[in-house]
Amino acid sequence: MAFTPPKNASPEKQAILQSIHAHVYPGRVERLLGGGIDFVPDRREGYRYWDMDGRELLELHINGGTFNLGHRNPDLIKVLEDALQHWDIGNHHFASEPKAKLAEALIASCPGDMQYVIFCASGSEANDAAVKSARYATGRRKVVALDCAYHGRTGFSGTAGDDETARFFNSAYPHEFIKVPFNDLEAMEAALKEEDVALVMMEIIPATDGFRMPHDGYLPAVKKLCEKYGTLFLADEVQTGLGRSGKAWAIEHWGVEPDILVCGKGLSGGLYPMAAAVMKEQPGHWLHENGWGHVSTFGGSDVGCCVALKALELSTSEATLNNVAVQAEYLRAGLERIKPRFPFFEEIRQKGLVFGLKFSDSNTGHGMMKALYENGIWAIAAGFDESVLQFKPGLLMDRALSDEILQRFENACIWLVNNFNDLIYGTLTDEDSDELINIRALATEALKEWGIEGAALELLKHRENTVYKVTPQDGRPTVMRIHRAGYHSDAELQSEVTWMEALNDAGIDCPEIVPSLSGESFATVRDASVAAPRQCSMVHWLPGTSFDHLGRVEKGVVPELCERYHKLGALAGRLHNQSEAWSPPDGFTRHAWDANGLLGDEPLWGRFWEHPVITAKQRTQIQKARMVLQGLLKQVGQSKEVYGLIHADFLPDNILADGD
């Protein structure tokens, strides 16, 4: 499939994106670029990333906890360098000192009477090993997991944790891998009471569902049900473990001792792939009977164990856990101060430095992801609930970094307020696209009609019309509109100018027309780059900001909008009074957005019920709706006392705020 990397990227970045798209994960590259994210990581240090072209991001994704201790933590690098003077990966058949030390440290750190450790290269593999262990230990096959949990994408872990992807690969086994709702004890007991379930896999705070928190008594009650029905309890701590929650393991907050605890990500220190399934005697007893029942060439690598031992020590030390508590409280207070100003910011879910920030819907969640990216933070929407942003600060962050994160987060909320319409309408347009390159060529040609060849063109909007700010080398700036092809006749455009002049005479500020060299209100311009000739007009530049650009929103979004809409309502009243009292001249013609213009046989935006993408059933429904609406509008009537404002009259982009 043809792929075009972003034209504003360096040649080196373009080449890498092209190669990854061709050979590694094309779908992922396309989706990120489609969202305006072209980051290709290069230098990294602490909790900061720089891409190949120098863009800096604060790291609040941290690969699910992989970089809990920061990128390229110097203490861990020193351990790795020292280890490489003596160790390498090692041989998974043999015992080694690094394996022994890490196993003992993991067992000592975990709640309960743990006995065995199975070393793996990923959390997914560790969950696979846990399922096998539980099945052998209990003699049962069934596994119960949450319907909102994620346990990886390999083998058993993929079947247990992500139904959609399991079905995609024809690997779903719903009779053996049963899903129950989170925080629903009745559903859990119903799944366990037949006493045929080997294992309950519990993601302690489901990350991919946006870190929904367990109810206070939920986890202890699930553990009691497991004990009642002879089922083993697994704590999946791949994302929440290793100090992130404020304790070594999140399960400790609820006083539950799991039979198996799975960890990964942060155990690697971000330097060497490491994960583990830590088990009590019962699920791990098979290790006596079948020493090769689970083998992993790179699991428990000797150099990896050296790094993991230091990562475990740093992550669970008293100093680190104290810092997590202090920074978590400080960040929460800062987020609570910001939240009331932005009504789309609905909820803060938190346990230590585990944060899920919920927004009003998935569009806003994605919008905040983009807003944060534009303001120097990398954080992603949760895969199973995209209205929630996973917000994961590092364990070793300090007050200065917390302040920087809060400032950038506030800036991102402000950015979203002032750019949300552009995101929804798709007007944050790539000026390097072929379409806009061609329109710019036409705009350059149009400058000749006003005798200002060589004036600078700055794209303002590209929707039905394309709008440029025009700045001559010497002279006041103007605005050029390149009108949508074939939408308005010349007479309709001239009528628009006539009405604008009448509005100005009535004291309602509208931009004044700049006549072309031939004295006309607009010019029809032809250019080889654009298929059809386009009408172009020029108006004087007016000071102000777009109506929906609320600045820093110091009072909050709702108070700012209430104040502005009150003023806009007064302006709408003045506009109505002018249009009622005004007598248009002969030849005045405008589109009529009445019942016929909206819903007639030849509506102004075309015969929408004939659109090629709709199905026959949809076409029938649309036609029925059209008939009902025509009847309702007929009842309303069309006298001068009955009127409405259509979207184009008071679209926020068409209103400039400049004081009063």
Side-chain angles (χ1 to χ4, degrees):
M1 182 182 295
F3 170 71
T4 303
K7 295 179 181 178
N8 58 352
S10 65
E12 294 80 9
K13 182 193 279 189
Q14 289 185 5
I16 287 175
L17 287 169
Q18 186 87 50
S19 179
I20 296 297
H21 181 269
H23 305 301
V24 185
Y25 31 65
R28 200 177 305 184
V29 170
E30 289 170 9
R31 183 164 184 189
L32 286 172
L33 290 179
I37 296 171
D38 65 349
F39 200 79
V40 177
D42 187 46
R43 186 165 67 92
R44 68 286 309 264
E45 180 180 342
Y47 298 112
R48 297 176 194 270
Y49 256 155
W50 290 265
D51 90 340
M52 295 183 68
D53 293 344
R55 181 181 193 134
E56 181 219 47
L57 292 178
L58 293 182
E59 168 74 287
L60 270 83
H61 173 237
I62 59 173
N63 277 28
T66 303
F67 302 110
N68 278 342
L69 303 173
H71 289 276
R72 305 184 69 253
N73 181 293
D75 292 335
L76 296 177
I77 288 176
K78 178 68 164 56
V79 168
L80 179 59
E81 289 174 341
D82 290 347
L84 287 169
Q85 303 307 307
H86 184 79
W87 307 100
D88 56 16
I89 287 170
N91 190 310
H92 67 279
H93 293 293
F94 295 140
S96 71
E97 180 185 6
K99 289 184 182 71
K101 286 185 174 180
L102 179 59
E104 290 169 0
L106 279 170
I107 288 167
S109 75
C110 287
D113 186 20
M114 295 298 188
Q115 180 68 33
Y116 303 108
V117 177
I118 298 176
F119 288 121
C120 302
S122 72
S124 294
E125 184 192 349
N127 276 316
D128 284 355
V131 170
K132 293 196 297 187
S133 299
R135 281 181 160 181
Y136 182 79
T138 63
R140 304 171 179 178
R141 291 187 60 81
K142 290 184 179 179
V143 173
V144 169
L146 302 176
D147 61 2
C148 62
Y150 176 90
H151 298 288
R153 288 233 163 100
T154 62
F156 296 138
S157 70
T159 303
D162 182 358
D163 285 346
E164 184 177 344
T165 304
R167 286 192 295 267
F168 181 86
F169 290 109
N170 197 25
S171 299
Y173 301 97
H175 299 299
E176 291 190 355
F177 288 83
I178 300 157
K179 305 299 167 60
V180 298
F182 187 41
N183 281 324
D184 187 335
L185 286 172
E186 289 185 6
M188 181 64 74
E189 183 159 20
L192 299 182
K193 66 182 181 180
E194 297 300 324
E195 301 188 3
D196 57 356
V197 174
L199 182 68
V200 166
M201 300 182 75
M202 183 63 64
E203 191 179 9
I204 304 307
I205 307 173
T208 309
D209 197 48
F211 292 123
R212 272 202 291 159
M213 295 292 157
H215 296 160
D216 287 344
Y218 177 67
L219 294 172
V222 172
K223 182 61 163 64
K224 286 182 180 178
L225 288 173
C226 288
E227 292 169 349
K228 178 179 179 180
Y229 294 115
T231 299
L232 297 174
F233 181 102
L234 177 146
D236 186 331
E237 295 263 14
V238 172
Q239 289 221 38
T240 55
L242 293 162
R244 171 149 295 280
S245 70
K247 292 185 180 290
W249 308 102
I251 193 72
E252 294 178 80
H253 289 281
W254 290 276
V256 173
E257 295 181 1
D259 300 296
I260 305 172
L261 185 147
V262 167
C263 61
K265 293 191 182 294
L267 194 64
S268 72
L271 293 177
Y272 198 98
M274 289 293 298
V278 188
M279 303 182 180
K280 289 184 173 180
E281 162 64 26
Q282 181 193 1
H285 188 79
W286 66 266
L287 291 161
H288 290 277
E289 303 163 49
N290 188 343
W292 282 266
H294 185 89
V295 294
S296 179
T297 301
F298 301 112
S301 135
D302 290 340
V303 291
C305 286
C306 295
V307 172
L309 183 63
K310 186 65 175 178
L312 177 65
E313 174 194 323
L314 290 174
S315 301
T316 60
S317 71
E318 183 177 356
T320 298
L321 296 180
N322 287 340
N323 188 62
V324 167
V326 169
Q327 302 308 328
E329 182 180 5
Y330 186 74
L331 277 171
R332 176 64 181 253
L335 290 169
E336 292 285 7
R337 286 194 300 272
I338 294 168
K339 181 172 171 283
R341 290 164 54 197
F342 304 97
F344 52 80
F345 182 11
E346 293 188 343
E347 181 186 352
I348 302 169
R349 302 168 178 175
Q350 183 198 7
K351 181 66 74 174
L353 289 179
V354 175
F355 281 95
L357 307 183
K358 180 167 175 54
F359 298 91
S360 52
D361 52 44
S362 60
N363 285 332
T364 311
H366 280 289
M368 270 306 297
M369 183 173 163
K370 170 68 171 173
L372 287 167
Y373 181 74
E374 292 296 325
N375 287 275
I377 287 179
W378 178 233
I380 68 170
F384 296 163
D385 183 354
E386 295 178 336
S387 69
V388 183
L389 208 70
Q390 295 180 337
F391 200 75
K392 295 175 285 196
L395 308 188
L396 304 181
M397 63 187 295
D398 57 15
R399 176 66 61 86
L401 184 56
S402 292
D403 284 333
E404 191 173 358
I405 288 170
L406 289 169
Q407 185 61 67
R408 293 192 188 193
F409 180 80
E410 179 186 5
N411 291 344
C413 290
I414 293 166
W415 186 96
L416 186 62
V417 169
N418 293 322
N419 291 276
F420 194 73
N421 281 343
D422 288 330
L423 285 175
I424 294 298
Y425 290 127
T427 51
L428 295 175
T429 310
D430 178 11
E431 291 191 58
D432 292 326
S433 68
D434 291 340
E435 180 186 15
L436 275 172
I437 288 172
N438 292 338
I439 291 177
R440 178 177 281 271
L442 185 138
T444 302
E445 182 69 21
L447 294 174
K448 298 175 183 177
E449 299 290 333
W450 281 267
I452 50 174
E453 296 94 323
L457 292 169
E458 177 188 344
L459 180 67
L460 299 178
K461 292 291 174 186
H462 175 60
R463 283 211 290 270
E464 58 267 24
N465 301 324
T466 305
V467 184
Y468 287 97
K469 180 180 181 181
V470 180
T471 307
Q473 291 180 349
D474 50 354
R476 74 189 265 199
T478 57
V479 176
M480 177 190 291
R481 280 197 301 172
I482 299 174
H483 296 267
R484 189 189 339 176
Y487 184 49
H488 286 301
S489 67
D490 290 355
E492 286 166 343
L493 286 182
Q494 185 57 53
S495 296
E496 181 182 89
V497 171
T498 302
W499 193 14
M500 288 167 64
E501 291 170 346
L503 288 169
N504 272 319
D505 291 341
I508 298 171
D509 290 337
C510 291
E512 296 178 17
I513 288 291
V514 179
S516 67
L517 290 176
S518 61
E520 301 295 331
S521 300
F522 58 89
T524 300
V525 180
R526 291 168 175 80
D527 185 80
S529 61
V530 178
R534 302 284 285 274
Q535 297 149 318
C536 301
S537 60
M538 194 90 75
V539 297
H540 284 298
W541 179 264
L542 286 181
T545 58
S546 177
F547 174 83
D548 59 349
H549 194 287
L550 302 184
R552 292 201 61 80
V553 208
E554 298 296 347
K555 302 175 192 174
V557 171
V558 172
E560 291 276 5
L561 286 176
C562 286
E563 185 176 306
R564 289 199 179 198
Y565 272 102
H566 181 81
K567 293 179 180 178
L568 186 60
L571 177 62
R574 291 169 58 201
L575 181 68
H576 175 65
N577 291 340
Q578 184 276 338
S579 64
E580 285 290 279
W582 183 55
S583 297
D586 292 341
F588 186 88
T589 177
R590 296 284 286 160
H591 281 162
W593 293 97
D594 54 13
N596 193 50
L598 288 168
L599 302 163
D601 291 335
E602 297 295 338
L604 297 172
W605 277 347
R607 295 162 67 88
F608 48 87
W609 58 91
E610 293 179 355
H611 198 287
V613 303
I614 63 175
T615 65
K617 182 178 179 181
Q618 290 169 334
R619 186 171 294 109
T620 300
Q621 291 172 322
I622 288 170
Q623 285 284 38
K624 286 179 181 178
R626 178 172 164 246
M627 291 171 62
V628 171
L629 290 170
Q630 281 177 318
L632 291 172
L633 288 177
K634 187 175 181 179
Q635 292 175 27
V636 169
Q638 202 166 335
S639 66
K640 284 194 172 185
E641 290 74 34
V642 177
Y643 68 97
L645 295 171
I646 65 150
H647 83 280
D649 289 330
F650 284 95
L651 187 71
D653 290 1
N654 292 346
I655 308 296
L656 291 179
D658 183 31
D660 289 331

